[in-house]
Amino acid sequence: MSYQSETQHQIAQNSKRPAIIFGAICLAVVAAMAIDTTVVRIGSEQDVRQQGFSPEQFGAETFPEVRTFVQERAVDAKTLFVEAVADKKAAGEKYGVMAGIAPVMPVTFTGVVGEGKSGTFYVAIEGMEDAKVRVQTGPAVNGTELRDAMGTISFGDFTNQIEYQNAGSGINNAMKAEVLADLDRENLTGKTIEVTGVFTMLSAKNWLVTPVELSVQ
């Protein structure tokens, strides 16, 4: 082989060397990724964690606990009304759970449905003629009373404020699905209903109740 041919051969070999090295590096990276890859089955606990926070799942899992808590601690509305009018702070400390500036109160009552707007109805309760009691029946249910009713769900349980708010919406939606889905709102006025639920006691005489139970008699 001539000196010129040998030189050309050497140059060709040298030009191939970076491509070979690059290919080897790529193979090594792919192999490392394969070793580090975990197969996650759809629907598994690990899959749920990777998907992030689910308000729907949180609500479905949490609402039964909230409902039981409220049912066990619900105070007769007339008893609560009399005590709250006499001393709102004392009644709040006795029966409620503090949430921000006011307590969330568990209550139960039977009353006659009056006029309503956007799914929120006034309810006339015997012995509480001075009170204004309203009940949310959907389709929109506002507020975070169900989330705050037990006093065990806090901002620190979540990644950020959005998740914390969505947790409340998730519980509200679970309640609607279980309690209000079959309610005939169009023909509710004039009917007698039995309600167990919660409200934020900003006023001793003005309640907006979010139900955990509602039945039409």
Side-chain angles (χ1 to χ4, degrees), residues 202-216:
L202 297 169
S203 166
K205 295 185 176 184
N206 194 341
W207 306 352
L208 176 60
V209 178
T210 302
V212 298
E213 277 187 315
L214 190 155
S215 60
V216 181

Side-chain angles (χ1 to χ4, degrees), residues 10-32:
Q10 186 65 35
I11 292 172
Q13 288 295 103
N14 289 341
S15 66
K16 292 178 181 179
R17 198 166 295 162
I20 294 172
I21 294 172
F22 179 74
I25 292 173
C26 289
L27 287 173
V29 171
V30 171

Side-chain angles (χ1 to χ4, degrees), residues 5 25 47 50 69 81 90 101 140 143 155 160 164 182 191 198:
S5 297
I25 292 173
D47 178 43
Q50 291 191 9
F69 181 93
F81 177 66
I101 63 172
F155 174 72
N160 51 45
Y164 189 42
D182 299 325
K191 300 289 182 63
V198 288

